[in-house]
Amino acid sequence: MSALLARFRTPSLRASLLFLVSSIAFQGARFLITLVGADALGPADFGVWVLVVAVLSYTPYATLGVVNAMNREVPILLGRSRPHEARESEEAALGASLVSAIGLFLLILGVGLVQRSDPWLMFFVAVAVSLQQVVFCYQATLRSRIRFGEAAAQQFVMAGVFLLVSLPALSALGVAGLIAGQSAAWASAAILSAMTLRPDLRASFPVALLRRQIRSGLPIALSGLAFAMLVTQDRWVVAAAGGGQELGLYGFASTVASALLLLLLIIGQQMYPRMGYVYGQRDREAARRLATRQSLLTAALTGTGGIAILAVTAMLVRARLGDFAPSLLPLAILCIAGTILGAASGSTNLLVVIGRAWLLVGVYLTGACSAFAIGLILLISGVGLAGPAIGTLVGAVVVATAATALVRAR
């Protein structure tokens, strides 16, 4: 027991725990805003927010893998005592993020003009997407150096700003107000990072290094994009085969269940640089042990968290959000799927660390396509909103089975 308590006193573990708490705080803020938004907007209008969130899950990969390559390279380079090259990788990633932010901002505004969409809505979407690029890069630099205490400070600031801005903005602007709150949260995080957490970084554009990072990082980015497709394909199934009401109801379930995915990512983000560091020291067995530890820990936490989320949401639905009662069955199924993905997270992380990201792309795409096809068939055949959730569950089983088999084969 004394040895265990001594470990909790170490700065690195305290920082990791603080990062976990900050992530829960940020997700708690989003959960609260989701409940308030669902109550204020109703299922039909809430469905718009659901699709915007889905789009936001795809755009971080617009750097073509440069940030992903940096996130993998930095801990490995530090493990090999090459800090100057690690800094060059970070600054190139920041440059690529700024370029992608400007490009996405102009692209979204252009799409809004062509489609004659709500100008305020498209403006805030464009701002949110562009700021997201910069913040995700800064977050990746902190995590890759295992500076989780500073990453936690960033998330606490985002949680506070998100709550302070979103609540009044929702009343004034509706769905656009929710996006404005998200934009404000990312703006605060970008300013904090640039001025306090990583003022040492300056964006650079070394062509040769960027080309190399795209070559090594593109499969990692595509694996992340494929994972995003896996966990959001069900929303597009409902959007295509259902109506606005059904999308809002299902989107409520998927948005609440995404808290488990965030928990999965939080643990993965902390284990990933540690795996990379020991792999950089050419200790593959240590990396494998970390992967096993991650899978067991994540499965336990997502399973427990899923039960808690379902119980709390059921009470809130009965007390206040009666229109969203049909969301509870899909939510229960999605919580099971999240636990299965948690059990596979160590294996998927390890595949990226050892340079087998292309295999992971295939695994995630197979899971996403299976989930989409099964969910669509079940929804059309009359199963109801449980159909897309069952499809996602099947996709999670496919991913967990394939990823575990690939790791064991190597």
Side-chain angles (χ1 to χ4, degrees):
M1 177 63 73
S2 59
L4 180 62
L5 292 175
R7 288 184 61 193
F8 273 83
R9 296 190 189 102
T10 62
S12 61
L13 188 54
R14 286 200 304 269
S16 295
L17 291 173
L18 186 62
F19 181 73
L20 176 61
V21 171
S22 70
S23 301
I24 293 172
F26 182 57
Q27 184 60 31
R30 297 186 65 179
F31 181 71
L32 176 59
I33 295 300
T34 294
L35 295 177
V36 173
D39 186 35
L41 298 173
D45 289 339
F46 187 74
V48 177
W49 168 246
V50 170
L51 292 183
V52 170
V53 172
V55 171
L56 287 171
S57 68
Y58 306 144
T59 52
Y61 307 103
T63 61
L64 301 180
V66 173
V67 173
N68 304 86
M70 178 273 295
N71 197 29
R72 177 178 182 270
E73 288 173 353
V74 168
I76 293 176
L77 290 170
L78 294 176
R80 294 175 180 172
S81 300
R82 292 154 64 179
H84 178 69
E85 293 178 51
R87 171 65 64 81
E88 289 179 338
S89 180
E90 290 174 318
E91 293 183 341
L94 183 57
S97 296
L98 291 173
V99 170
S100 66
I102 295 170
L104 287 169
F105 181 82
L106 296 175
L107 175 63
I108 293 171
L109 285 185
V111 170
L113 290 173
V114 171
Q115 294 187 345
R116 297 181 180 180
S117 303
D118 180 350
W120 278 115
L121 177 66
M122 297 306 294
F123 172 77
F124 285 125
V125 170
V127 171
V129 166
S130 59
L131 287 171
Q132 182 188 48
Q133 300 298 107
V134 179
V135 171
F136 277 22
C137 180
Y138 275 121
Q139 282 185 338
T141 67
L142 293 170
R143 294 194 306 265
S144 64
R145 289 180 176 268
I146 317 182
R147 293 167 59 173
F148 290 111
E150 292 157 286
Q154 187 186 61
Q155 293 202 122
F156 279 127
V157 169
M158 286 196 294
V161 172
F162 189 42
L163 284 174
L164 289 174
V165 176
S166 295
L167 292 174
L170 174 64
S171 299
L173 300 172
V175 175
L178 290 178
I179 305 168
Q182 184 68 80
S183 300
W186 277 327
S188 65
I191 294 170
L192 176 66
S193 300
M195 298 184 65
T196 304
L197 301 180
R198 292 307 307 267
D200 54 312
L201 288 186
R202 297 291 182 271
S204 66
F205 306 92
V207 176
L209 176 57
L210 287 170
R211 286 176 177 171
R212 180 177 63 77
Q213 287 182 317
I214 290 174
R215 285 197 301 271
S216 64
L218 185 59
I220 304 175
L222 290 177
S223 69
L225 179 61
F227 177 79
M229 293 170 61
L230 169 66
V231 298
T232 59
Q233 47 72 36
D234 47 354
R235 304 174 199 186
W236 299 110
V237 168
V238 180
Q245 185 82 2
E246 287 79 7
L247 178 60
L249 291 171
Y250 188 87
F252 178 78
S254 61
T255 302
V256 172
S258 66
L260 295 180
L261 299 179
L262 181 65
L263 185 60
L264 183 155
L265 293 173
I266 291 167
I267 299 171
Q269 288 164 356
Q270 296 193 55
M271 300 298 288
Y272 183 73
R274 291 178 168 88
M275 283 188 205
Y277 188 85
V278 297
Y279 185 74
Q281 294 178 320
R282 295 175 172 81
D283 190 347
R284 294 196 176 196
E285 188 55 37
R288 191 182 295 272
R289 288 196 299 270
L290 286 173
T292 301
R293 185 184 307 171
Q294 177 185 335
S295 290
L296 293 175
L297 176 62
T298 308
L301 290 178
T302 51
T304 304
I307 294 172
I309 287 172
L310 182 60
V312 171
T313 305
M315 288 189 295
L316 290 171
V317 166
R318 292 191 180 95
R320 177 83 184 183
L321 303 171
D323 290 343
F324 289 89
S327 304
L328 292 177
L329 178 57
L331 175 59
I333 298 170
L334 291 174
C335 286
I336 298 172
T339 302
I340 293 173
L341 287 175
S345 62
S347 297
T348 56
N349 243 4
L350 186 59
L351 286 173
V352 175
V353 169
I354 65 177
R356 298 293 185 268
W358 280 117
L359 290 175
L360 190 56
V361 174
V363 169
Y364 280 145
L365 284 179
T366 301
C369 291
S370 302
F372 185 89
I374 293 172
L376 184 62
I377 291 171
L378 291 176
L379 183 61
I380 292 175
S381 63
V383 171
L385 294 179
I390 293 172
T392 301
L393 176 60
V394 172
V397 171
V398 170
V399 167
T401 303
T404 302
L406 286 171
V407 167
R408 289 181 177 176
R410 294 178 181 276

